[in-house]
Amino acid sequence: MKDTILNPNTKTYIYLLIFYIVILSAGFSIKDPYILTIFVFAGLNALSALGLSLLMGLAGQISLGHNGFYGLGAYLSAILSVYYKVPVLLSIVIAVTFTSLFAILLAIPALRLKGHYLAVATLGFGEIIYLLLNEWGPGGPSGFGDIPRLYLGAIELSSPLHFHLFVWTLFAVAFFFSLNLANSTYGKVLRALHASETALRTLGINIVSLKVKIFILSAFLTALSGAIYAHFVTFVSPATFSVFYSVLLLMMVMLGGIHSLWGAPIGALFITFLPETLRPFKEYDILIYGLILTLGLIFFRKGIIHLLEVGAKRWLPFLK
Amino acid sequence: MILMRLCLFLIFLFLFHVATYASKEPIKIGAILSITGPASFIGEPEKNTLLLLADQINKAGGINGRPVQVIIEDSKSDETQAVLSAKKLIERDKVVAIIGPSTTGESMAVIPIVTQAKIPMISLAAGTAITEPVSERYWIFKTAQYDRSAVEAIYRYMQKKGIKKVGILTITTSFGDQGRKALLELAPKFGITIVADERYKPKDKDMSVQLMKAKNAGAEAIINWSVGPEQVIVVKNWHSLKLGIPLFQSHGWGSKKNIELAGPSAEGVIAPLSRIVVWDKLPDNHPQKKILRDYYMAYTARFKTEPGTFGGHAYDAFMMLVEAIRKVGPDPAKIRDYIENNIKNWPGVSGIFNMSPKDHCGLDHTSFEMVIVRNRDWEILH
Amino acid sequence: MELFLQFLFSGITVGAIYALIALGFNIVYNATSILNLAQGEFLVFGGLLMWYFLEKLNLPYGFSFLLALGATGFVGLLMERFTIRPLQKTADPLLLILITIAFSILLRGILMFLFGKDPYGYRPIDEGPPLIIFGAILQRQVLWILLFVVLTLIFLYLFFNCTMIGRAMKACSVDKTSASLMGINTSQMVMLSFFLSGIFAGLAGILITPITFIEYDKGPLLTIKGFTSAILGGLGSNWGVMAGGFLLGILESLIAGYVHSGLKDALALLLMLIMLLFRPAGLFQSAEQARLRKL
């Protein structure tokens, strides 16, 4: 510790830079579009998981309704660009803004609830969005396609590599701001929310407004991920946005490690790649998938990130 | 003596070499099927059919001496997974053509990818949007009948029987939704009014309410559009409510298992079904009879269960590809052209196909027979 | 009138199913404060095993019934031993909920491996024609389900109030430390609660299969409905969660009948959300009661 001039905050930013460079160079060196496509989905999941990780890790709130935000982001942006001919980048901005506003409406009443009750309230919200997409979404349960691809200026993002660079850059930016938030006084207050609400209340800190803000940020990130999903796959149907997506995100955050924001990208990469590596097992992959998740939660209860930290401390002493 | 042995050995070596050379380069065909997940009842018989056919073809010497390898990916009835499967098949395995996906949603999600890669795809799903507009679906074919063909078969039958008011029940999946759209769209053409348009969710437990509403709205018949256990629950509810009006099912009804599950409730249920279900009741001179019998016999012998409607879609897709590859070689563009232009009056399991640059499905309502359940067996209505 | 009664009966049919699942939730919740989200898979396990004993092995109905019950109870035991107990010490409720989800995925894989993907069904307990009450039709099996719901409630009441072991379980749920100081083996109590919840889930599965059929992936949606019912009625009280189940079932059915069947689930959920905001502890107990029950 003595010989380092960096404070721990600076160090996390350096890690982020390293992570970003590694991911990008992976994108450039991998020629296989199939692997790159998995990376893109992993990046999208990482973005959503980051949102959930902020909510759970910082604010100590649980949500089983993030599939609703994911779906709203995707559907709104897709509808705007297909039926109202809004340019894609603008449609994403509008969709994400609208979803975030919508999150306020949900957050203000819902965050009065705690524990299981909050879980079921958010679950209900996500289900309602899913059911409404089925009932009123264009194409109903069959969904709709021919959604335009994303343009950045004059460049059309057409290949998985383009999307890979775009999504992970977006993730890095979001992660940068999330780290800022976590390390700020604001973030420390939020962490304290975990410990004692009463103590905070006596200090005169407005807990509800803090919780609502973090909830909106969380919804924002997930909606963004959903909107990009729509323009990447160019087809959406309600089935993608069922409650199982929320459960998947929860798995990513927990298995990645809830005590650190790093758990989100690690968990997302792990959970997204896992079923792909299990392909040789054909339809019985669900057995092995379930087994790995169960054992993972039992034996690595602090998450993969904890393993990495311990490993790093042990084998890479210079990082101390 | 030693010399002779050496000669023999060399001959063997040579033969072995030739044999391995011949079998070295398999022709790869990809398949994306919903083997697990909510649509697994579709993907399972399709998977079995492809395994069966690939073995048959390879046992008979392959295609032009080269073995065929079918690489089957499970899309878990999920569009994201279907996209990943397509990427893998095209980029990794370098397949010459893709069979599937099994459902409309997954097919729609995969279309941009195969179109970009210029690989022909034969979808096994029913949705009209899969092959239309044909100008935008250059690389896409399908072997499952259109939903509207099944609807047309039902409506024609109703017209004959003088039924004018119907209540429809559809499941809120892409299968039920496609059926619902076709039912609503075609009704006016046949002078039929839809008096009730009711829906239910997958895994719902009781549909009495929807049935009662339809009956009370004055329906003279009910049409239910779903597959899986829900359609059997509808049959049981219909039976126990004693509605007194006939119940029609979609073409997804064609499995003996449904009759077994529904028991006596199934008596009198009518549905437009693929001929594979009633192959033994067809006249011997029917052009599909031999194909149907051979397929049915081989399938039941190996898997101890019936192929049903959905396995037939995979059969037709695979045999079309085999014929195309045999004629023009494993070249994606040539395979596409061959299927578009040369599949004419082509008897398959699902019907007699007539592909053309204007029609990438090639089947119409005549590929269905109206079938009623009597004495726990199928009976063709004429 | 006839129409209304039919909607009501349909609602009772579905509600009885929800109530059975919600009861299973509540038993584990009361003893351990864990929400066991593998409940739906237990249920499927019960139904499929019953089918196996009855149709495949041709055992008598009652015997198959008991065997299937015992077997699901045993799965509950196994689950507790291998997934819950190793994590008990961490006491992170979120982790405990997630492990039940992970286990449910594993269980679903096992079910698919054992039984395949087809739906299964078998004859109801009583094969007579459905009852006709004022022109509306009620399946006989529903009456059996209602009977079993009542029996379950009586059993649970007697068990928790009149037996030593039941009282010990209750004590555990109120305060684990004190209970263990009183000489109660708390980990055995947790195990017992999972055994019981396995049995009741199995019971639900066995009873509903003749009405709805059962297949390997029916679990998650049943879990969600049961969970919603339990919250609606107020977790903690057996009577409450049971009432919550019937309420949800009837609500859905009436919405489907009088509003629109496409909106039944969304509207029922919306009503539940609104209710949660005004009565966060469930319809049938005040927040005060809920707090006393837990904590």
Side-chain angles (χ1 to χ4, degrees):
Chain A
M1 272 295 179
K2 279 174 277 171
D3 51 354
T4 175
I5 44 161
L6 302 173
N7 69 26
N9 287 357
T10 324
K11 232 187 325 180
T12 52
Y13 293 122
I14 293 177
Y15 290 154
L16 174 60
L17 192 67
I18 296 172
F19 178 77
Y20 182 59
I21 293 171
V22 167
I23 281 276
L24 283 205
S25 41
F28 282 116
S29 54
I30 295 166
K31 292 280 174 284
D32 187 342
Y34 160 62
I35 303 280
L36 272 176
T37 310
I38 308 176
F39 264 110
V40 174
F41 284 123
L44 291 173
N45 287 338
L47 210 52
S48 303
L50 180 62
L52 191 61
S53 180
L54 283 171
L55 186 70
M56 285 168 55
L58 278 188
Q61 308 288 314
I62 191 178
S63 165
L64 282 171
H66 267 50
N67 61 310
F69 300 130
Y70 191 57
L72 272 180
Y75 259 75
L76 287 176
S77 186
I79 291 170
L80 285 172
S81 58
V82 171
Y83 294 94
Y84 299 95
K85 306 287 177 241
V86 178
V88 172
L89 214 49
L90 186 64
S91 74
I92 293 181
V93 172
I94 299 175
V96 171
T97 315
F98 184 84
T99 310
S100 310
L101 291 176
F102 197 77
I104 303 179
L105 288 181
L106 176 71
I108 291 172
L111 291 179
R112 284 169 40 203
L113 302 170
K114 277 184 206 141
H116 301 326
Y117 295 99
L118 181 63
V120 81
T122 50
L123 175 86
F125 161 77
E127 269 293 283
I128 289 175
I129 298 289
Y130 166 73
L131 293 167
L132 292 185
L133 293 182
N134 262 303
E135 193 65 18
W136 291 330
S142 331
F144 65 107
D146 297 323
I147 301 167
R149 283 188 186 277
L150 191 57
Y151 278 88
L152 287 183
I155 313 160
E156 185 190 14
L157 297 189
S158 53
S159 74
L161 179 61
H162 290 160
F163 265 97
H164 174 82
L165 301 179
F166 176 67
V167 169
W168 283 101
T169 305
L170 219 53
F171 174 79
V173 173
F175 202 81
F176 177 79
F177 284 111
S178 304
L179 281 176
N180 265 353
L181 180 71
N183 294 330
S184 65
T185 350
Y186 196 67
K188 280 166 192 148
V189 169
L190 280 166
R191 261 186 217 287
L193 260 174
H194 261 317
S196 166
E197 280 202 14
T198 333
L200 279 172
R201 206 170 273 151
T202 53
L203 287 173
I205 292 166
N206 187 345
I207 303 160
V208 175
S209 113
L210 273 182
K211 277 193 197 168
V212 169
K213 278 177 193 155
I214 208 84
F215 194 81
I216 295 164
L217 180 62
S218 176
F220 171 86
L221 290 173
T222 309
L224 181 63
S225 157
I228 299 171
Y229 170 91
H231 297 285
F232 176 57
V233 178
T234 69
F235 174 86
V236 287
S237 85
T240 315
F241 310 105
S242 72
V243 64
F244 297 109
Y245 185 73
S246 294
V247 172
L248 207 67
L249 285 184
L250 220 56
M251 283 286 174
M252 288 174 195
V253 172
M254 287 304 282
L255 217 55
I258 195 171
H259 71 281
S260 158
L261 284 178
W262 280 102
I266 302 290
L269 282 167
F270 181 74
I271 296 271
T272 316
F273 271 88
L274 185 58
E276 294 304 317
T277 49
L278 295 180
R279 268 183 193 274
F281 296 99
K282 303 274 172 194
E283 61 220 80
Y284 298 111
D285 59 352
I286 179 181
L287 248 173
I288 296 149
Y289 184 69
L291 200 64
I292 290 178
L293 289 187
T294 312
L295 294 179
L297 285 175
I298 293 174
F299 292 111
F300 312 126
R301 60 194 70 158
K302 286 183 176 161
I304 303 169
I305 186 68
H306 182 72
L307 279 187
L308 293 179
E309 279 168 3
V310 171
K313 282 201 184 111
R314 179 117 185 235
W315 305 111
L316 307 167
F318 56 87
L319 282 179
K320 278 184 191 163
Chain B
M1 205 48 199
I2 292 170
L3 203 68
M4 209 165 117
R5 274 191 192 175
L6 196 68
C7 274
L8 265 176
F9 177 71
L10 281 175
I11 291 168
F12 270 126
L13 205 68
F14 176 73
L15 283 177
F16 183 71
H17 182 73
V18 169
T20 49
Y21 185 71
S23 64
K24 207 162 63 183
E25 278 280 316
I27 295 169
K28 287 178 180 170
I29 296 175
I32 305 168
L33 307 175
S34 315
I35 301 171
T36 55
S40 61
F41 54 88
I42 301 178
E44 183 80 14
E46 290 169 351
K47 179 193 79 176
N48 290 343
T49 302
L50 291 182
L51 292 176
L52 176 78
L53 291 177
D55 284 357
Q56 280 181 357
I57 296 282
N58 285 334
K59 238 173 243 163
I63 307 175
N64 299 339
R66 283 173 68 181
V68 58
Q69 182 190 358
V70 184
I71 303 164
I72 300 175
E73 296 293 338
D74 178 11
S75 65
K76 305 186 173 67
S77 316
D78 172 54
E79 280 126 25
T80 311
Q81 285 296 321
V83 166
L84 281 171
S85 305
K87 284 272 181 203
K88 175 182 174 286
L89 290 172
I90 295 169
E91 310 292 348
R92 268 277 168 88
D93 304 318
K94 311 271 182 226
V95 297
V96 296
I98 288 180
I99 297 174
S102 311
T103 66
T104 304
E106 293 165 278
S107 302
M108 295 301 289
V110 167
I111 284 172
I113 296 168
V114 295
T115 306
Q116 205 177 15
K118 299 194 177 7
I119 298 285
M121 168 177 126
I122 306 183
S123 166
L124 307 178
T128 313
I130 296 170
T131 52
E132 284 183 9
V134 183
S135 56
E136 286 171 30
R137 302 284 187 257
Y138 187 76
W139 294 94
I140 316 296
F141 300 89
K142 72 191 191 78
T143 50
Q145 294 98 333
Y146 292 112
D147 298 298
R148 58 162 192 261
S149 302
V151 170
E152 209 177 319
I154 294 180
Y155 281 172
R156 274 173 197 276
Y157 179 79
M158 285 184 163
Q159 223 174 12
K160 229 164 46 183
K161 298 283 162 189
I163 296 170
K164 290 205 160 22
K165 290 178 181 171
V166 297
I168 61 172
L169 267 67
T170 53
I171 192 165
T172 55
T173 60
S174 115
F175 182 85
D177 183 59
Q178 300 281 337
R180 174 170 173 266
K181 282 175 189 150
L183 285 165
L184 292 174
E185 184 196 319
L186 291 180
K189 216 172 113 189
F190 293 88
I192 285 167
T193 357
I194 308 268
V195 291
D197 171 14
E198 298 294 326
R199 265 156 281 172
Y200 52 86
K201 263 197 351 172
K203 313 276 172 204
D204 268 1
K205 293 141 205 92
D206 187 272
M207 282 56 134
S208 317
V209 174
Q210 287 91 332
L211 286 166
M212 281 301 282
K213 272 186 86 180
K215 159 91 182 172
N216 269 47
E220 296 158 359
I222 305 262
I223 304 177
N224 172 60
W225 216 270
S226 59
V227 254
E230 295 84 4
Q231 67 176 344
V232 187
I233 297 177
V234 171
V235 169
K236 286 189 87 173
N237 291 156
W238 166 76
H239 179 78
S240 66
L241 287 172
K242 297 194 176 57
L243 286 182
I245 50 178
L247 174 66
F248 290 79
Q249 290 269 13
S250 73
H251 52 297
W253 171 246
S255 160
K256 269 273 168 65
K257 277 209 188 91
N258 288 328
I259 300 187
E260 271 165 38
L261 274 179
S265 313
E267 291 295 305
V269 174
I270 305 172
L273 299 182
S274 257
R275 297 201 174 88
I276 182 66
V277 179
V278 287
W279 67 274
D280 50 337
K281 296 169 186 78
L282 291 174
D284 281 337
N285 59 3
H286 195 283
Q288 284 175 267
K289 176 109 183 193
K290 188 186 173 317
I291 291 174
L292 291 173
R293 186 183 53 221
D294 292 350
Y295 171 49
Y296 183 92
M297 290 302 182
Y299 190 100
T300 42
R302 175 152 167 191
F303 300 107
K304 315 284 174 242
T305 170
E306 294 192 314
T309 311
F310 301 112
H313 302 328
Y315 180 100
D316 296 335
F318 185 81
M319 292 317 263
M320 268 179 210
L321 285 177
V322 168
E323 187 182 312
I325 295 170
R326 195 164 273 155
K327 293 277 163 59
V328 297
D331 176 279
K334 285 184 193 157
I335 293 174
R336 193 215 78 88
D337 293 343
Y338 183 87
I339 294 177
E340 184 173 81
N341 299 313
N342 298 67
I343 301 292
K344 299 265 189 256
N345 268 326
W346 193 86
V349 168
S350 306
I352 296 164
F353 288 84
N354 278 300
M355 295 282 186
S356 75
K358 286 209 176 82
D359 185 2
H360 277 191
C361 172
L363 291 175
D364 63 10
H365 68 95
T366 56
S367 63
F368 288 112
E369 297 281 353
M370 290 306 286
V371 174
I372 190 168
V373 180
R374 282 218 183 105
N375 303 321
R376 305 214 170 181
D377 196 7
W378 312 109
E379 194 180 307
I380 300 176
L381 290 166
H382 293 287
Chain C
M1 185 61 198
E2 185 194 324
L3 204 58
F4 172 77
L5 260 187
Q6 189 58 58
F7 294 165
L8 191 67
F9 285 174
S10 179
I12 289 174
T13 307
V14 179
I17 296 170
Y18 295 167
L20 272 178
I21 310 167
L23 273 174
F25 262 117
N26 205 41
I27 295 167
V28 172
Y29 182 77
N30 267 344
T32 63
S33 301
I34 296 169
L35 277 177
N36 177 15
L37 296 182
Q39 197 76 18
E41 271 67 26
F42 282 4
L43 190 149
V44 174
F45 206 82
L48 287 176
L49 275 183
M50 175 76 181
W51 171 84
Y52 183 75
F53 294 137
L54 188 67
E55 301 282 322
K56 205 81 183 173
L57 301 184
N58 283 318
L59 300 176
Y61 209 95
F63 190 52
S64 310
F65 200 108
L66 291 177
L67 268 183
L69 276 191
T72 12
F74 184 64
V75 175
L77 277 186
L78 285 182
M79 172 176 178
E80 195 278 336
R81 182 65 193 80
F82 290 108
T83 66
I84 303 297
R85 193 170 304 177
L87 291 179
Q88 272 285 301
K89 283 195 199 77
T90 65
D92 179 356
L94 193 61
L95 190 61
L96 287 171
I97 291 181
L98 271 178
I99 193 81
T100 65
I101 296 180
F103 188 74
S104 79
I105 297 174
L106 176 62
L107 209 51
R108 206 147 63 234
I110 295 173
L111 286 171
M112 189 180 85
F113 188 74
L114 293 178
F115 293 95
K117 292 163 242 164
D118 291 327
Y120 294 92
Y122 44 81
R123 60 179 191 271
I125 297 178
D126 181 349
E127 288 188 274
L131 301 172
I132 301 167
I133 303 164
F134 296 115
I137 279 140
L138 187 62
Q139 298 182 52
R140 275 167 195 258
Q141 184 77 359
V142 176
L143 291 182
W144 284 98
I145 294 183
L146 292 179
L147 178 72
F148 274 102
V149 168
V150 173
L151 285 180
T152 306
L153 283 173
I154 293 173
F155 169 78
L156 288 176
Y157 180 81
L158 292 177
F159 180 73
F160 280 112
N161 292 297
C162 304
T163 67
M164 204 56 197
I165 218 167
R167 284 186 183 167
M169 253 172 99
K170 217 173 171 183
C172 274
S173 79
V174 177
D175 187 338
K176 205 170 247 170
T177 327
S178 314
S180 103
L181 285 175
M182 302 303 284
I184 297 169
N185 185 340
T186 51
S187 68
Q188 253 177 27
M189 292 302 132
V190 173
M191 207 156 166
L192 185 64
S193 77
F194 268 85
F195 178 66
L196 279 180
S197 99
I199 284 193
F200 286 113
L203 179 69
I206 294 166
L207 290 174
I208 71 170
T209 304
I211 299 180
T212 71
F213 307 111
I214 206 118
E215 64 276 355
Y216 83 103
D217 62 349
K218 209 171 199 122
L221 284 157
L222 287 172
T223 304
I224 289 176
K225 292 290 186 189
F227 183 36
T228 315
S229 309
I231 297 285
L232 189 67
L235 263 178
S237 140
N238 285 329
W239 291 97
V241 298
M242 183 210 65
F246 281 105
L247 198 69
L248 186 66
I250 294 170
L251 211 61
E252 282 183 5
S253 168
L254 291 183
I255 293 172
Y258 291 111
V259 188
H260 194 276
S261 47
L263 291 173
K264 72 178 163 67
D265 299 273
L267 274 181
L269 278 170
L270 196 66
L271 285 176
M272 186 211 69
L273 270 186
I274 294 168
M275 196 239 36
L276 255 185
L277 301 177
F278 289 105
R279 286 190 73 89
L283 269 186
F284 304 104
Q285 56 182 355
S286 67
E288 204 63 29
Q289 273 175 303
R291 204 170 310 135
L292 284 175
R293 216 181 277 275
K294 306 281 355 151
L295 288 173

